[in-house]
Structure formats: C-alpha cells, structure tokens
Amino acid sequence: MSRSPRQIHLAAHFPGVNSTTVWTDAASGSQIDFAAFEYFARTAERGFFDYVFLAEGLRLREHKGRVHELDVLGRPNTLAVLAALSAVTDHVGLVGTLSTTFNEPYELARQLATLDHLSGGRAGWNAVTSSDAFHGANFRRGGFLAHADRYERAKEFAALSKKLWDSWDEDEALPRRIRHAGAQFDVDALFDVPRSPQGRPVIVQAGDSADGRDFGAEHAEVIFSLHQDFAAARVFYDDVKGRLAAWGRDEDSLKILPAATFVLGDTDAEARERSREIALQQVRPEQALTYLEQVWGRDLSGYDPDGPLPDVEPDTGAETARGWANRHAAVQARIASLRELSQAEGLSIRELVIRLTAKHTFVGTPEHIASEIDRYVQERATDGFTVVGHLTPHGLDDFATRVVPLLQERGSYRRSYDEGATLRDLLGLPAPARALLPDAAAR
C-alpha cells in the first residue's frame, strides 16, 4: 500500500527592494498602490498558497552618497498593508517582516495579535534582526548591535512576545500579569488583546548563522532559507530539523521554505533564453559594478562591467556604507573566491554578479518545474518554497496558472482551502505550546 505524498507548502513573496525585482520592465507596476498588493494577494489565493510574505526595509540604502536605484520606490509600512489585505482576502495567510532590533515586544505583539484577530487567524511574523548602524541611524538609540547581541535580544523578544500572547486563557475574562525582567527588556504588563483565533501568530525566521539556526529551532515555525540547490537545501534541512529535539519539538512543528525564483517556457530552450534575458534586466552594468565596489571598498567605475574582475587591492581601512568594518583577511578571502569562480567559468564582472545574485532556481517547462518542486519535498530537502517573482504585481501569474495545477495532479498540493482554516492550519502546524506563565492568582 503506497503512502500519501508529502504535501507541498508555498508562500508568495511580494517583490520589493532586492536584486530580483525588475523595475525597468514595461510590465512592472507600483510598489505603493494598494491595487498592486491586492492583485498579488488575490493571485496567491487563487493558487492556494499558504501565505503572502512582505519584506520590509527600515531605511533606503545608499551607495556613494546616492540612494541605490533598487530602493527608489521604498516600502510602505508592512502592518498597514497586511491589515488592508485582510479585508480583501478570505484564506491566504499574511506574513510581515518586522525587526526585533528596532521594535519593542509589547507594542509589536499587540499589533500582530490585532492583525490575527482582524484576519481570522491568518497573521504571521517574520522575526529578523537588523545588523548595522546604517539602519540604526534612523532610530533614537542609533548604532548597531554585535551579531551575538542581536540574537540575544531576538530570543528574549520572541520569548516575551509568546508570554504576552499566551497570557489570556480561553475561558478567562482577564489576562495574567506578565512580569519580565531580563537583560534586554523589563516589562510589567497586562496584555490588552485577547488570545487570537490561531492561539498566536505564526513565527517565521530567516537566519542562517549558527545563532540564527539556534533561534529558529527554539522559536520559529517557518524558516525562509536561501539554500536553493538540492544538496545544500537537504543539508540545511537536516541540520535545523535536527536541532528541534533539544527544545522538545518534533519535525512537523517547523516548516522550511527556501526562496525560489522561476522562469517558465514552452520548451527548455525557450525557458533558458528567457532566464538569460531576465538576468540581464536584474543585473544592469552599473549594478554589477556597485556589487563589486561594496566588496572592494573602493571606486571601480573605471572598469568595464563586461571585462575581467579588477586587478587592484581592496580598501579595507574604512567602514563601508552598511556600517560593517571590513576585516582585511575576510575581504581578501572573499575576493580570492570571486576570482577563482570567475576564472573557472570565464565570467566577466557582470556575468559573475549574475551568477551570484540572479541565478534562477527553477528554469524549464511547467512540467519540469512541478516535478522538481515535488522532488525537493518528497525527498525531504524542503517542505516547500517561498516563490519569488521578478515583476510587481504579475510575477506570480504564470506560476499559479501553469505550475499549481500540475502539483495538484500529483496529489501533493491542495485543491481548495478548508473553510475557516487559520495560517497554522494551512501550514499543518500543531497548536502552539503555551509559554510558561505565572499562575492564575497573579492577575
């Protein structure tokens, strides 16, 4: 008797300030107009996705004193957009990226719990740390936290948020008082938003360092990974899932959904040609030089983007615009690896940057892409994917129309939403274990 196939989970990433989105294409739309968000979310819902995923940038990036062209359109407030989307969708989950470095637990927990109520239990939080003084300059305390300190704050932030969300019992009229005195936060609170329809919002996380993986194993219910190659994805999957037992969790309590770009064609040759054309749109000549200038720490505008890598030494004596102090040995090692790759594959500057930032995960016919997605999931390299299109807001259209039906035919993807399903239900996650709280007398 054959077993039922593992079910594929899909998230839809709204294109934003990244190296994927192509704003110069005539088909590209607005990143501000709500109609763009609504269209994208409705397309995700038509494709029976688990959730829509919005990124958020806390500052426009700059290079050489100018706003980076990929950031010109900026990013409207994530929670406001998700709240509006909750009114025009019925089933798809709503996940937003919100920093643990530059927010406060009580306020953010309250906002997310409110969204969970407004949406009928469809809210999720992509908990991220913010790494640099460049972003920190927008906030009162400024500066930036060291890597380990960022994760200490994030862990305490997530644990305190869970306590606040769990402070309401279903059969009680008042919450339990939460008194928390930690290294990062000192709170004495009666949380003023009752327990939400799915218990508490789903926590998503994207860290890949050892600290990030530990944080994910302790707190995350979905991990947005960057490991797209099958072998690398499987190693990451096994590593993170293997950390769950130390926190009393089982494999089903965490889903891993790597980012995945795609290019469709009626034939493999057509798809490859479209992939080449899109990559050239994603990495224009000036963007290729900008990428290398951030590695070399010096002006490389005199170099030909279609020529070989610079033959000059990097400038490692000054802090970069991102606020990271370049360490000489690390930069030299990075440049050596770039030169090795360039020489091995005969890549120009622009071709190298395309290889590093615009290599598409799945390229081929709809049948090929559906088969590959299914293979990753059935062979436990992932639990699904976070699908990243290259256009706003139509980047998901072809995937929903041409790939999703093929996944459904394989029996590994849903054909409908269950009425009243929460985001936690869609993801197949267990009910959240209640955080350790004071007894009922402490009210």
Side-chain angles (χ1 to χ4, degrees), residues 225-262:
S225 158
L226 295 177
H227 296 279
Q228 301 169 345
D229 174 76
F230 182 89
R234 191 165 188 175
V235 169
F236 180 83
Y237 185 97
D238 289 343
D239 177 74
V240 176
K241 296 265 184 168
R243 298 174 189 239
L244 294 173
W247 298 101
R249 302 177 62 187
D250 61 31
E251 182 180 348
D252 290 336
S253 69
L254 173 67
K255 306 299 181 185
I256 298 179
L257 309 180
T261 54
F262 70 96

Side-chain angles (χ1 to χ4, degrees), residues 279-439:
L280 290 172
Q281 287 181 297
Q282 290 171 324
V283 182
R284 296 196 292 171
E286 59 271 28
Q287 291 168 245
L289 289 177
T290 294
Y291 183 95
L292 286 199
E293 285 177 341
Q294 292 175 339
V295 177
W296 260 258
R298 63 167 65 247
D299 181 13
L300 300 175
S301 58
Y303 285 83
D304 180 2
D306 294 317
L309 266 61
D311 54 4
V312 296
E313 290 300 304
D315 180 355
T316 58
E319 197 171 49
T320 69
R322 295 183 179 185
W324 295 327
N326 284 330
R327 294 184 178 178
H328 185 76
V331 174
Q332 290 285 7
R334 173 63 172 158
I335 290 174
S337 70
L338 294 179
R339 284 177 171 152
E340 181 180 358
L341 177 59
S342 176
Q343 291 169 4
E345 299 188 16
L347 303 175
S348 68
I349 291 174
R350 190 180 184 191
E351 289 169 337
L352 175 69
V353 177
I354 287 174
R355 173 78 165 71
L356 295 173
T357 68
K359 182 181 179 182
H360 302 123
T361 315
F362 299 118
V363 178
T365 63
E367 292 77 11
H368 170 75
I369 291 177
S371 175
E372 280 295 279
I373 290 173
D374 201 35
R375 179 173 74 93
Y376 273 67
V377 173
Q378 303 312 321
E379 297 184 20
R380 295 182 182 274
T382 71
D383 294 303
F385 287 96
T386 301
V387 180
V388 184
H390 72 283
L391 291 176
T392 302
H394 296 281
L396 203 62
D397 293 9
D398 283 349
F399 189 96
T401 300
R402 303 184 67 186
V403 178
V404 164
L406 299 176
L407 297 175
Q408 292 170 328
E409 289 177 9
R410 289 171 169 268
S412 52
Y413 192 68
R414 69 170 62 90
R415 292 181 177 271
S416 65
Y417 290 112
D418 293 332
E419 193 62 35
T422 66
L423 175 55
R424 196 172 294 278
D425 295 330
L426 296 181
L427 287 163
L429 294 170
R434 301 295 286 266
L436 184 63
L437 299 175
D439 62 31

Side-chain angles (χ1 to χ4, degrees), residues 104-107 156 160 164 177-182 184-191:
E104 294 296 322
Y106 185 92
E107 180 181 24
E156 192 173 328
L160 177 52
L164 293 167
R177 181 176 295 278
I178 299 301
R179 293 187 175 94
H180 174 94
Q184 302 291 330
F185 307 105
D186 190 347
V187 172
D188 183 349
L190 284 172
F191 194 59

